[in-house]
Amino acid sequence: MLNVIKKEWNVFIEYTKLQLMAYLEYPLNFLVGFVWTCVALIPMYFFWNALLTSGVDINYNQTTIILYYLFTIGFFYSGGFFKSLRQEIIKGTIVTTLVRKIRLENYFVYNAIATVLISRFLIGIVIVIAGIYFVGLQSLLGVLFFIFGLIIGATIYSILIAIGFWTGESWGYFYVTSIIINLVGGSIIPLDLFPIFWQKIIAYTPFSLMFYVPAKIYLGELTITPWLIFAYVAWAVVLYLILNKMISLGLKRFEQLGG
Amino acid sequence: MYSDKIVLTLDWGANMTEKNEKTVINVNCMNKVFWIPDEPKTTAEKIKNILFRKKKDKHIIKDVSFEIKQGEMVGYIGVNGAGKSTTIKMLTGIYPPTSGTIKCLDLDPFKQRMKYVKDIGVVFGNRELLNYDIAPKYSLELYGAVYGLPKKIAEKRYTEFAKRLKVSHLMDTPVRKLSLGEKMKFNIIASLLHKPKIVYLDEPTIGLDVVAREEMIKFLAEINKKEDTTIILTTHNMDDIEELCKRIIIIDDGKKIYDGPLKAVKDVYANWKRITLVFSEKKAPFMHKFEIFEKTNDLMIFKCPNEKLKDTLDKITECFEIVDLKIEEPKLKEVVKRIYLDKKVEIDAKCN
């Protein structure tokens, strides 16, 4: 068992290394990602600043709302990040992975995690520094839980990718679902600003664990309980099992004519 | 002519029995049917087609059976669209056959994929195994990790192969900057890294020049000898496998039409050359009984049996003022056609 975990860890590290090398080939991407985050933060700042100065009473002040958005926009990822993985099924390049000793589900999840980690690395440093400065060392736990949430997010997107076995070209539902995931994940609006009814419903889904919960831990407003850890583990296992089943069914449908 | 083939096939069978090698691939009545989109004809069908795609069956592989022994090097050849790549994809566990059975290394390639793929290496001539943007070294390291190879062993193996294929100096060059031949060499290294028992090469010579092709073929022959690796190579060019494979399987329109020694095919079905002669002047009458493919005032394309080649060339130099002369091997399409004709003769003889 330990050997399997060690081997899988090595494979994940190698995929991450590969992504990093590919990313470094185009170093401008790091800068573009960084600038994109800053630009996306500006309208958020003006909008929430106007709202808060007008006397609207929400659970956030100017610092916490900016920190919240620095975290969720800085660590933001959506369906577009996994375009190349999605196209592997449509273009048939997935065959080069199928002949390797790696589970297709692991291949999707590892690559999705590696893509986000590498692309968010630079802004991640800013998030960590800002967290330590404004909140304290406990904000680091928020970053750690973001990584746990990323495992869940990567598995969810891998499930969406696997739907490509049935639908072929899949960009339409992929992007629509992606927007919904980000909305109910708390990266567009903090979930505690939603009506109570919707908050209760969203609490039963894994999406809040992707952005909202880690952001609240980052702000020092949420205590980590064994139940929370259990929710992360349980959702990761359930989603992985769904992905596993979908891939085994999808591969039975996979057809690719010619060389 | 047909009896020659039978004798040679029997000879081949005798050799195989003598060696008594283990069967590593056993394919029995393999069929593959794909669903392909069917063009809607009426407007009503076109509207319906938006939601419910009209599909029709396409029978790609038809009742193919064969066995391959350990350490064999087999050429799987056929013209484009014959079903070579589909067969390779079924043998490598990418998809299952519609009917029939495939046992490779005593496993079902599709159902037991994870157990099976650790012992195979695959190269797709038109699909890149390496990450396009980065140096091949990193992709090779990844493959080492995927197969659970200790880092040092993986490094030793790919360094050795790269040296042998003369690409050591390109280890740090991004794949996108490599030539087609260099990329193919690295793809082959990636597929051999984990010492596979079977290697499938799907059209590995596509786009390669003569030198790169020969280097690759020599290297594969060495690996086969040294590591007793079974190699299955698909191609639509018979010349590719001449130096590599003693046995060939010819497939056409999804059906196996020949399985036996390459030599037999060469001797019986490809025992002639296509001669293209461009001349400016006819010095003397050219007497011959050859089959003419094309003839104009200054061009003649004809079929010359191998045993008469030397005499014919002498005659040509005597009879013509030559502008250009081209001697070519028969095309696979022509060989396949002749095999079909022979089979037809055989069936007709049986019926009578």
Side-chain angles (χ1 to χ4, degrees), chain A residues 7 11 14 17-18 21-22 25-26 91 95 98 100-102 254-259, chain B residues 34-35 60 85 89 95 113 118 126-127 129 133-134 138 141-143 146-147 176 190:
Chain A
K7 192 220 141 192
V11 174
E14 287 299 331
K17 206 166 103 185
L18 218 70
M21 290 299 162
E25 276 294 310
Y26 307 101
K91 290 183 179 170
V95 297
L98 288 172
R100 301 275 159 201
K101 199 184 163 236
I102 181 162
F254 181 60
E255 288 183 348
Q256 201 235 332
L257 259 165
Chain B
F34 279 130
W35 275 9
I60 307 288
S85 295
K89 281 179 190 130
Y95 38 65
R113 188 178 74 82
K118 73 176 170 49
N126 52 0
R127 299 234 184 266
L129 293 180
D133 284 319
I134 57 172
Y138 301 110
E141 279 173 10
L142 166 77
Y143 286 133
V146 162
Y147 289 103
R176 65 171 187 273

mmCIF file of all heavy atoms in Angstrom, chain A residues 7 11 14 17-18 21-22 25-26 91 95 98 100-102 254-259, chain B residues 34-35 60 85 89 95 113 118 126-127 129 133-134 138 141-143 146-147 176 190:
data_model
loop_
_atom_site.group_PDB
_atom_site.id
_atom_site.type_symbol
_atom_site.label_atom_id
_atom_site.label_comp_id
_atom_site.label_asym_id
_atom_site.label_seq_id
_atom_site.Cartn_x
_atom_site.Cartn_y
_atom_site.Cartn_z
ATOM 1 N N LYS A 7 4.552 5.523 -5.225
ATOM 2 C CA LYS A 7 4.647 5.527 -6.690
ATOM 3 C C LYS A 7 3.726 6.604 -7.283
ATOM 4 O O LYS A 7 4.128 7.370 -8.152
ATOM 5 C CB LYS A 7 4.261 4.140 -7.236
ATOM 6 C CG LYS A 7 4.599 3.977 -8.698
ATOM 7 C CD LYS A 7 3.533 3.233 -9.443
ATOM 8 C CE LYS A 7 3.355 3.835 -10.805
ATOM 9 N NZ LYS A 7 2.190 3.384 -11.506
ATOM 10 N N VAL A 11 4.597 9.943 -9.478
ATOM 11 C CA VAL A 11 3.989 10.238 -10.781
ATOM 12 C C VAL A 11 3.411 11.649 -10.760
ATOM 13 O O VAL A 11 3.619 12.434 -11.687
ATOM 14 C CB VAL A 11 2.895 9.201 -11.131
ATOM 15 C CG1 VAL A 11 2.157 9.592 -12.408
ATOM 16 C CG2 VAL A 11 3.510 7.817 -11.302
ATOM 17 N N GLU A 14 6.128 14.166 -10.967
ATOM 18 C CA GLU A 14 6.680 14.252 -12.328
ATOM 19 C C GLU A 14 5.743 15.034 -13.256
ATOM 20 O O GLU A 14 6.204 15.812 -14.080
ATOM 21 C CB GLU A 14 6.939 12.850 -12.898
ATOM 22 C CG GLU A 14 8.128 12.135 -12.280
ATOM 23 C CD GLU A 14 9.463 12.851 -12.464
ATOM 24 O OE1 GLU A 14 9.628 13.558 -13.462
ATOM 25 O OE2 GLU A 14 10.335 12.710 -11.580
ATOM 26 N N LYS A 17 6.143 18.598 -12.353
ATOM 27 C CA LYS A 17 7.429 19.080 -12.879
ATOM 28 C C LYS A 17 7.303 19.382 -14.377
ATOM 29 O O LYS A 17 7.778 20.410 -14.865
ATOM 30 C CB LYS A 17 8.483 17.997 -12.642
ATOM 31 C CG LYS A 17 9.897 18.534 -12.537
ATOM 32 C CD LYS A 17 10.813 17.470 -11.976
ATOM 33 C CE LYS A 17 11.633 16.850 -13.079
ATOM 34 N NZ LYS A 17 12.451 15.739 -12.633
ATOM 35 N N LEU A 18 6.628 18.482 -15.073
ATOM 36 C CA LEU A 18 6.435 18.634 -16.518
ATOM 37 C C LEU A 18 5.645 19.904 -16.840
ATOM 38 O O LEU A 18 5.988 20.661 -17.745
ATOM 39 C CB LEU A 18 5.660 17.408 -17.029
ATOM 40 C CG LEU A 18 6.050 16.852 -18.380
ATOM 41 C CD1 LEU A 18 7.415 16.200 -18.316
ATOM 42 C CD2 LEU A 18 5.036 15.826 -18.844
ATOM 43 N N MET A 21 7.847 22.909 -16.178
ATOM 44 C CA MET A 21 8.816 23.099 -17.269
ATOM 45 C C MET A 21 8.131 23.725 -18.482
ATOM 46 O O MET A 21 8.675 24.630 -19.110
ATOM 47 C CB MET A 21 9.436 21.758 -17.674
ATOM 48 C CG MET A 21 10.351 21.192 -16.640
ATOM 49 S SD MET A 21 11.712 22.329 -16.372
ATOM 50 C CE MET A 21 12.319 21.763 -14.829
ATOM 51 N N ALA A 22 6.931 23.211 -18.790
ATOM 52 C CA ALA A 22 6.192 23.730 -19.943
ATOM 53 C C ALA A 22 5.818 25.192 -19.694
ATOM 54 O O ALA A 22 5.889 26.025 -20.600
ATOM 55 C CB ALA A 22 4.949 22.892 -20.192
ATOM 56 N N GLU A 25 8.688 27.567 -20.125
ATOM 57 C CA GLU A 25 9.040 27.822 -21.524
ATOM 58 C C GLU A 25 8.410 29.134 -21.988
ATOM 59 O O GLU A 25 8.877 29.763 -22.914
ATOM 60 C CB GLU A 25 8.555 26.667 -22.410
ATOM 61 C CG GLU A 25 9.499 25.482 -22.465
ATOM 62 C CD GLU A 25 10.824 25.801 -23.144
ATOM 63 O OE1 GLU A 25 10.808 26.359 -24.254
ATOM 64 O OE2 GLU A 25 11.875 25.496 -22.544
ATOM 65 N N TYR A 26 7.284 29.469 -21.358
ATOM 66 C CA TYR A 26 6.600 30.724 -21.678
ATOM 67 C C TYR A 26 6.441 31.525 -20.391
ATOM 68 O O TYR A 26 5.341 31.622 -19.835
ATOM 69 C CB TYR A 26 5.227 30.437 -22.308
ATOM 70 C CG TYR A 26 5.299 29.498 -23.480
ATOM 71 C CD1 TYR A 26 4.966 28.161 -23.350
ATOM 72 C CD2 TYR A 26 5.717 29.954 -24.728
ATOM 73 C CE1 TYR A 26 5.055 27.284 -24.428
ATOM 74 C CE2 TYR A 26 5.804 29.088 -25.803
ATOM 75 C CZ TYR A 26 5.474 27.763 -25.643
ATOM 76 O OH TYR A 26 5.555 26.902 -26.714
ATOM 77 N N LYS A 91 -9.963 14.760 -29.582
ATOM 78 C CA LYS A 91 -8.943 14.599 -30.618
ATOM 79 C C LYS A 91 -8.364 13.188 -30.659
ATOM 80 O O LYS A 91 -7.655 12.834 -31.599
ATOM 81 C CB LYS A 91 -7.818 15.608 -30.399
ATOM 82 C CG LYS A 91 -8.225 17.042 -30.685
ATOM 83 C CD LYS A 91 -7.044 17.956 -30.525
ATOM 84 C CE LYS A 91 -7.419 19.394 -30.823
ATOM 85 N NZ LYS A 91 -6.341 20.318 -30.453
ATOM 86 N N VAL A 95 -5.221 8.247 -26.394
ATOM 87 C CA VAL A 95 -4.674 6.892 -26.617
ATOM 88 C C VAL A 95 -3.238 6.773 -26.111
ATOM 89 O O VAL A 95 -2.838 5.704 -25.655
ATOM 90 C CB VAL A 95 -4.763 6.447 -28.100
ATOM 91 C CG1 VAL A 95 -6.186 6.349 -28.582
ATOM 92 C CG2 VAL A 95 -3.938 7.344 -29.013
ATOM 93 N N LEU A 98 -3.606 5.947 -22.532
ATOM 94 C CA LEU A 98 -4.217 4.634 -22.288
ATOM 95 C C LEU A 98 -3.220 3.481 -22.422
ATOM 96 O O LEU A 98 -3.449 2.411 -21.890
ATOM 97 C CB LEU A 98 -5.389 4.413 -23.247
ATOM 98 C CG LEU A 98 -6.639 5.231 -22.957
ATOM 99 C CD1 LEU A 98 -7.649 5.084 -24.077
ATOM 100 C CD2 LEU A 98 -7.272 4.810 -21.641
ATOM 101 N N ARG A 100 -0.206 3.632 -21.307
ATOM 102 C CA ARG A 100 0.769 3.773 -20.225
ATOM 103 C C ARG A 100 0.189 3.210 -18.936
ATOM 104 O O ARG A 100 -1.028 3.169 -18.764
ATOM 105 C CB ARG A 100 1.100 5.253 -19.979
ATOM 106 C CG ARG A 100 1.644 5.947 -21.159
ATOM 107 C CD ARG A 100 3.127 5.746 -21.258
ATOM 108 N NE ARG A 100 3.563 5.978 -22.612
ATOM 109 C CZ ARG A 100 4.697 5.519 -23.109
ATOM 110 N NH1 ARG A 100 5.489 4.796 -22.368
ATOM 111 N NH2 ARG A 100 5.042 5.769 -24.351
ATOM 112 N N LYS A 101 1.093 2.869 -18.021
ATOM 113 C CA LYS A 101 0.616 2.259 -16.778
ATOM 114 C C LYS A 101 0.154 3.344 -15.801
ATOM 115 O O LYS A 101 0.764 3.591 -14.764
ATOM 116 C CB LYS A 101 1.735 1.431 -16.152
ATOM 117 C CG LYS A 101 1.225 0.431 -15.148
ATOM 118 C CD LYS A 101 2.355 -0.288 -14.495
ATOM 119 C CE LYS A 101 1.852 -0.953 -13.237
ATOM 120 N NZ LYS A 101 2.587 -0.560 -12.075
ATOM 121 N N ILE A 102 -0.913 4.000 -16.197
ATOM 122 C CA ILE A 102 -1.500 5.003 -15.300
ATOM 123 C C ILE A 102 -3.014 4.974 -15.478
ATOM 124 O O ILE A 102 -3.506 4.812 -16.607
ATOM 125 C CB ILE A 102 -0.918 6.421 -15.559
ATOM 126 C CG1 ILE A 102 -1.542 7.410 -14.576
ATOM 127 C CG2 ILE A 102 -1.116 6.887 -16.995
ATOM 128 C CD1 ILE A 102 -0.788 8.691 -14.410
ATOM 129 N N PHE A 254 -15.577 4.540 -26.152
ATOM 130 C CA PHE A 254 -14.556 5.282 -26.887
ATOM 131 C C PHE A 254 -14.266 4.624 -28.238
ATOM 132 O O PHE A 254 -13.970 3.441 -28.316
ATOM 133 C CB PHE A 254 -13.274 5.356 -26.054
ATOM 134 C CG PHE A 254 -12.158 6.118 -26.711
ATOM 135 C CD1 PHE A 254 -12.318 7.441 -27.052
ATOM 136 C CD2 PHE A 254 -10.946 5.508 -26.989
ATOM 137 C CE1 PHE A 254 -11.289 8.156 -27.654
ATOM 138 C CE2 PHE A 254 -9.915 6.201 -27.592
ATOM 139 C CZ PHE A 254 -10.091 7.522 -27.923
ATOM 140 N N GLU A 255 -14.400 5.409 -29.270
ATOM 141 C CA GLU A 255 -14.113 4.914 -30.616
ATOM 142 C C GLU A 255 -13.236 5.934 -31.300
ATOM 143 O O GLU A 255 -13.512 7.123 -31.250
ATOM 144 C CB GLU A 255 -15.408 4.756 -31.423
ATOM 145 C CG GLU A 255 -16.259 3.598 -30.971
ATOM 146 C CD GLU A 255 -17.490 3.417 -31.831
ATOM 147 O OE1 GLU A 255 -17.797 4.318 -32.630
ATOM 148 O OE2 GLU A 255 -18.128 2.376 -31.707
ATOM 149 N N GLN A 256 -12.193 5.447 -31.897
ATOM 150 C CA GLN A 256 -11.363 6.389 -32.647
ATOM 151 C C GLN A 256 -10.858 5.687 -33.889
ATOM 152 O O GLN A 256 -10.034 4.777 -33.819
ATOM 153 C CB GLN A 256 -10.214 6.884 -31.782
ATOM 154 C CG GLN A 256 -9.640 8.184 -32.259
ATOM 155 C CD GLN A 256 -8.167 8.090 -32.497
ATOM 156 O OE1 GLN A 256 -7.483 7.312 -31.878
ATOM 157 N NE2 GLN A 256 -7.685 8.876 -33.434
ATOM 158 N N LEU A 257 -11.433 6.087 -34.992
ATOM 159 C CA LEU A 257 -11.080 5.444 -36.259
ATOM 160 C C LEU A 257 -9.728 5.945 -36.753
ATOM 161 O O LEU A 257 -9.393 7.099 -36.581
ATOM 162 C CB LEU A 257 -12.136 5.799 -37.294
ATOM 163 C CG LEU A 257 -13.191 4.745 -37.587
ATOM 164 C CD1 LEU A 257 -14.345 5.364 -38.329
ATOM 165 C CD2 LEU A 257 -12.619 3.600 -38.374
ATOM 166 N N GLY A 258 -8.979 5.063 -37.352
ATOM 167 C CA GLY A 258 -7.749 5.468 -38.026
ATOM 168 C C GLY A 258 -6.580 5.648 -37.090
ATOM 169 O O GLY A 258 -6.681 5.417 -35.892
ATOM 170 N N GLY A 259 -5.436 6.076 -37.668
ATOM 171 C CA GLY A 259 -4.184 6.134 -36.920
ATOM 172 C C GLY A 259 -4.074 7.315 -35.998
ATOM 173 O O GLY A 259 -4.952 8.091 -35.814
ATOM 174 N N PHE B 34 -17.612 -0.091 -35.898
ATOM 175 C CA PHE B 34 -17.740 1.269 -35.371
ATOM 176 C C PHE B 34 -19.077 1.852 -35.790
ATOM 177 O O PHE B 34 -19.627 1.467 -36.814
ATOM 178 C CB PHE B 34 -16.643 2.174 -35.939
ATOM 179 C CG PHE B 34 -15.324 2.038 -35.244
ATOM 180 C CD1 PHE B 34 -14.158 1.841 -35.964
ATOM 181 C CD2 PHE B 34 -15.238 2.123 -33.872
ATOM 182 C CE1 PHE B 34 -12.936 1.735 -35.329
ATOM 183 C CE2 PHE B 34 -14.020 2.013 -33.232
ATOM 184 C CZ PHE B 34 -12.874 1.822 -33.968
ATOM 185 N N TRP B 35 -19.526 2.791 -34.987
ATOM 186 C CA TRP B 35 -20.704 3.577 -35.376
ATOM 187 C C TRP B 35 -20.201 4.854 -36.021
ATOM 188 O O TRP B 35 -19.464 5.603 -35.381
ATOM 189 C CB TRP B 35 -21.517 3.943 -34.141
ATOM 190 C CG TRP B 35 -22.467 2.901 -33.707
ATOM 191 C CD1 TRP B 35 -22.565 1.624 -34.183
ATOM 192 C CD2 TRP B 35 -23.460 3.036 -32.688
ATOM 193 N NE1 TRP B 35 -23.543 0.950 -33.513
ATOM 194 C CE2 TRP B 35 -24.117 1.798 -32.592
ATOM 195 C CE3 TRP B 35 -23.858 4.078 -31.863
ATOM 196 C CZ2 TRP B 35 -25.147 1.574 -31.694
ATOM 197 C CZ3 TRP B 35 -24.876 3.852 -30.967
ATOM 198 C CH2 TRP B 35 -25.525 2.611 -30.888
ATOM 199 N N ILE B 60 -15.019 -2.655 -39.506
ATOM 200 C CA ILE B 60 -13.614 -2.302 -39.783
ATOM 201 C C ILE B 60 -12.723 -3.546 -39.818
ATOM 202 O O ILE B 60 -11.879 -3.692 -40.689
ATOM 203 C CB ILE B 60 -13.070 -1.320 -38.715
ATOM 204 C CG1 ILE B 60 -13.987 -0.100 -38.581
ATOM 205 C CG2 ILE B 60 -11.639 -0.896 -39.018
ATOM 206 C CD1 ILE B 60 -13.958 0.869 -39.730
ATOM 207 N N SER B 85 -4.373 0.240 -37.761
ATOM 208 C CA SER B 85 -4.358 0.989 -36.495
ATOM 209 C C SER B 85 -5.462 0.510 -35.564
ATOM 210 O O SER B 85 -5.270 0.455 -34.343
ATOM 211 C CB SER B 85 -4.529 2.483 -36.765
ATOM 212 O OG SER B 85 -3.428 2.943 -37.479
ATOM 213 N N LYS B 89 -4.955 -0.829 -31.818
ATOM 214 C CA LYS B 89 -5.648 -0.247 -30.668
ATOM 215 C C LYS B 89 -6.373 -1.316 -29.861
ATOM 216 O O LYS B 89 -6.506 -1.191 -28.656
ATOM 217 C CB LYS B 89 -6.603 0.852 -31.131
ATOM 218 C CG LYS B 89 -5.828 2.119 -31.398
ATOM 219 C CD LYS B 89 -6.696 3.236 -31.867
ATOM 220 C CE LYS B 89 -5.800 4.362 -32.333
ATOM 221 N NZ LYS B 89 -6.140 4.854 -33.644
ATOM 222 N N TYR B 95 -9.418 -0.117 -27.005
ATOM 223 C CA TYR B 95 -10.834 -0.498 -27.021
ATOM 224 C C TYR B 95 -10.998 -1.988 -27.269
ATOM 225 O O TYR B 95 -10.096 -2.634 -27.787
ATOM 226 C CB TYR B 95 -11.684 0.348 -27.966
ATOM 227 C CG TYR B 95 -11.096 0.779 -29.281
ATOM 228 C CD1 TYR B 95 -10.763 -0.143 -30.250
ATOM 229 C CD2 TYR B 95 -10.924 2.133 -29.558
ATOM 230 C CE1 TYR B 95 -10.260 0.270 -31.469
ATOM 231 C CE2 TYR B 95 -10.411 2.560 -30.773
ATOM 232 C CZ TYR B 95 -10.086 1.621 -31.724
ATOM 233 O OH TYR B 95 -9.598 2.026 -32.911
ATOM 234 N N ARG B 113 -6.391 -3.910 -18.506
ATOM 235 C CA ARG B 113 -5.478 -2.918 -19.079
ATOM 236 C C ARG B 113 -4.291 -2.572 -18.166
ATOM 237 O O ARG B 113 -3.145 -2.623 -18.590
ATOM 238 C CB ARG B 113 -6.247 -1.628 -19.421
ATOM 239 C CG ARG B 113 -5.437 -0.616 -20.186
ATOM 240 C CD ARG B 113 -6.258 0.599 -20.536
ATOM 241 N NE ARG B 113 -6.498 1.466 -19.391
ATOM 242 C CZ ARG B 113 -5.645 2.372 -18.938
ATOM 243 N NH1 ARG B 113 -4.489 2.541 -19.528
ATOM 244 N NH2 ARG B 113 -5.941 3.116 -17.906
ATOM 245 N N LYS B 118 1.793 -2.578 -18.427
ATOM 246 C CA LYS B 118 3.132 -2.467 -17.836
ATOM 247 C C LYS B 118 4.156 -3.266 -18.644
ATOM 248 O O LYS B 118 5.353 -3.023 -18.539
ATOM 249 C CB LYS B 118 3.115 -2.877 -16.361
ATOM 250 C CG LYS B 118 2.968 -4.353 -16.097
ATOM 251 C CD LYS B 118 3.077 -4.624 -14.600
ATOM 252 C CE LYS B 118 2.715 -6.023 -14.197
ATOM 253 N NZ LYS B 118 3.290 -7.120 -14.922
ATOM 254 N N ASN B 126 1.784 8.946 -35.667
ATOM 255 C CA ASN B 126 1.251 10.306 -35.827
ATOM 256 C C ASN B 126 0.754 10.900 -34.515
ATOM 257 O O ASN B 126 -0.021 11.833 -34.506
ATOM 258 C CB ASN B 126 0.139 10.311 -36.879
ATOM 259 C CG ASN B 126 -0.907 9.273 -36.580
ATOM 260 O OD1 ASN B 126 -0.802 8.559 -35.586
ATOM 261 N ND2 ASN B 126 -1.926 9.185 -37.405
ATOM 262 N N ARG B 127 1.175 10.308 -33.400
ATOM 263 C CA ARG B 127 0.794 10.864 -32.095
ATOM 264 C C ARG B 127 2.047 11.013 -31.241
ATOM 265 O O ARG B 127 2.838 10.087 -31.136
ATOM 266 C CB ARG B 127 -0.186 9.949 -31.361
ATOM 267 C CG ARG B 127 -1.482 9.739 -32.090
ATOM 268 C CD ARG B 127 -2.659 10.075 -31.197
ATOM 269 N NE ARG B 127 -3.910 9.783 -31.875
ATOM 270 C CZ ARG B 127 -4.586 10.671 -32.558
ATOM 271 N NH1 ARG B 127 -4.143 11.895 -32.666
ATOM 272 N NH2 ARG B 127 -5.722 10.348 -33.142
ATOM 273 N N LEU B 129 4.252 11.176 -28.007
ATOM 274 C CA LEU B 129 4.244 10.653 -26.634
ATOM 275 C C LEU B 129 4.888 11.655 -25.673
ATOM 276 O O LEU B 129 4.726 11.576 -24.477
ATOM 277 C CB LEU B 129 5.039 9.346 -26.551
ATOM 278 C CG LEU B 129 4.483 8.119 -27.269
ATOM 279 C CD1 LEU B 129 5.409 6.939 -27.081
ATOM 280 C CD2 LEU B 129 3.102 7.762 -26.749
ATOM 281 N N ASP B 133 6.394 21.027 -25.533
ATOM 282 C CA ASP B 133 7.063 22.280 -25.173
ATOM 283 C C ASP B 133 8.382 22.117 -24.432
ATOM 284 O O ASP B 133 9.126 23.071 -24.296
ATOM 285 C CB ASP B 133 6.128 23.127 -24.292
ATOM 286 C CG ASP B 133 5.043 23.767 -25.133
ATOM 287 O OD1 ASP B 133 5.359 24.219 -26.227
ATOM 288 O OD2 ASP B 133 3.889 23.773 -24.684
ATOM 289 N N ILE B 134 8.612 20.925 -23.909
ATOM 290 C CA ILE B 134 9.798 20.808 -23.045
ATOM 291 C C ILE B 134 10.778 19.752 -23.575
ATOM 292 O O ILE B 134 10.458 19.004 -24.502
ATOM 293 C CB ILE B 134 9.394 20.487 -21.596
ATOM 294 C CG1 ILE B 134 8.567 19.202 -21.565
ATOM 295 C CG2 ILE B 134 8.629 21.612 -20.953
ATOM 296 C CD1 ILE B 134 8.296 18.703 -20.192
ATOM 297 N N TYR B 138 12.582 15.309 -19.623
ATOM 298 C CA TYR B 138 11.556 15.386 -18.569
ATOM 299 C C TYR B 138 10.415 14.408 -18.824
ATOM 300 O O TYR B 138 9.893 13.802 -17.883
ATOM 301 C CB TYR B 138 11.036 16.822 -18.432
ATOM 302 C CG TYR B 138 12.133 17.790 -18.087
ATOM 303 C CD1 TYR B 138 12.581 18.721 -19.011
ATOM 304 C CD2 TYR B 138 12.737 17.754 -16.834
ATOM 305 C CE1 TYR B 138 13.611 19.598 -18.703
ATOM 306 C CE2 TYR B 138 13.777 18.627 -16.516
ATOM 307 C CZ TYR B 138 14.207 19.545 -17.461
ATOM 308 O OH TYR B 138 15.233 20.397 -17.155
ATOM 309 N N GLU B 141 11.670 11.045 -17.859
ATOM 310 C CA GLU B 141 11.665 10.896 -16.397
ATOM 311 C C GLU B 141 10.258 10.576 -15.902
ATOM 312 O O GLU B 141 10.065 9.738 -15.026
ATOM 313 C CB GLU B 141 12.174 12.184 -15.730
ATOM 314 C CG GLU B 141 13.689 12.264 -15.713
ATOM 315 C CD GLU B 141 14.214 13.599 -15.204
ATOM 316 O OE1 GLU B 141 13.417 14.406 -14.693
ATOM 317 O OE2 GLU B 141 15.433 13.829 -15.349
ATOM 318 N N LEU B 142 9.275 11.254 -16.510
ATOM 319 C CA LEU B 142 7.884 10.995 -16.134
ATOM 320 C C LEU B 142 7.521 9.541 -16.430
ATOM 321 O O LEU B 142 6.934 8.856 -15.583
ATOM 322 C CB LEU B 142 6.942 11.933 -16.889
ATOM 323 C CG LEU B 142 5.473 11.536 -16.847
ATOM 324 C CD1 LEU B 142 4.855 11.887 -15.507
ATOM 325 C CD2 LEU B 142 4.673 12.179 -17.951
ATOM 326 N N TYR B 143 7.882 9.065 -17.615
ATOM 327 C CA TYR B 143 7.546 7.684 -17.965
ATOM 328 C C TYR B 143 8.238 6.690 -17.030
ATOM 329 O O TYR B 143 7.669 5.664 -16.678
ATOM 330 C CB TYR B 143 7.865 7.400 -19.425
ATOM 331 C CG TYR B 143 6.857 8.060 -20.346
ATOM 332 C CD1 TYR B 143 7.239 8.785 -21.464
ATOM 333 C CD2 TYR B 143 5.498 7.987 -20.062
ATOM 334 C CE1 TYR B 143 6.314 9.410 -22.281
ATOM 335 C CE2 TYR B 143 4.563 8.605 -20.870
ATOM 336 C CZ TYR B 143 4.976 9.317 -21.980
ATOM 337 O OH TYR B 143 4.049 9.930 -22.773
ATOM 338 N N VAL B 146 6.074 6.639 -14.057
ATOM 339 C CA VAL B 146 4.802 5.962 -14.343
ATOM 340 C C VAL B 146 4.973 4.439 -14.234
ATOM 341 O O VAL B 146 4.110 3.745 -13.712
ATOM 342 C CB VAL B 146 4.296 6.365 -15.757
ATOM 343 C CG1 VAL B 146 3.248 5.394 -16.271
ATOM 344 C CG2 VAL B 146 3.725 7.774 -15.721
ATOM 345 N N TYR B 147 6.112 3.945 -14.696
ATOM 346 C CA TYR B 147 6.342 2.497 -14.631
ATOM 347 C C TYR B 147 7.024 2.075 -13.327
ATOM 348 O O TYR B 147 7.425 0.918 -13.187
ATOM 349 C CB TYR B 147 7.164 2.036 -15.835
ATOM 350 C CG TYR B 147 6.352 2.100 -17.102
ATOM 351 C CD1 TYR B 147 6.525 3.113 -18.023
ATOM 352 C CD2 TYR B 147 5.366 1.149 -17.348
ATOM 353 C CE1 TYR B 147 5.755 3.197 -19.166
ATOM 354 C CE2 TYR B 147 4.586 1.220 -18.488
ATOM 355 C CZ TYR B 147 4.791 2.240 -19.391
ATOM 356 O OH TYR B 147 4.012 2.307 -20.512
ATOM 357 N N ARG B 176 9.562 20.518 -29.601
ATOM 358 C CA ARG B 176 9.071 21.260 -30.766
ATOM 359 C C ARG B 176 10.192 21.675 -31.719
ATOM 360 O O ARG B 176 9.940 21.994 -32.874
ATOM 361 C CB ARG B 176 8.256 22.484 -30.329
ATOM 362 C CG ARG B 176 9.041 23.515 -29.604
ATOM 363 C CD ARG B 176 8.251 24.801 -29.382
ATOM 364 N NE ARG B 176 9.100 25.824 -28.819
ATOM 365 C CZ ARG B 176 9.332 25.993 -27.524
ATOM 366 N NH1 ARG B 176 8.750 25.196 -26.665
ATOM 367 N NH2 ARG B 176 10.147 26.935 -27.094
ATOM 368 N N ALA B 190 11.057 6.212 -25.256
ATOM 369 C CA ALA B 190 10.011 6.259 -24.218
ATOM 370 C C ALA B 190 9.240 4.943 -24.153
ATOM 371 O O ALA B 190 8.850 4.499 -23.076
ATOM 372 C CB ALA B 190 9.052 7.412 -24.496
#
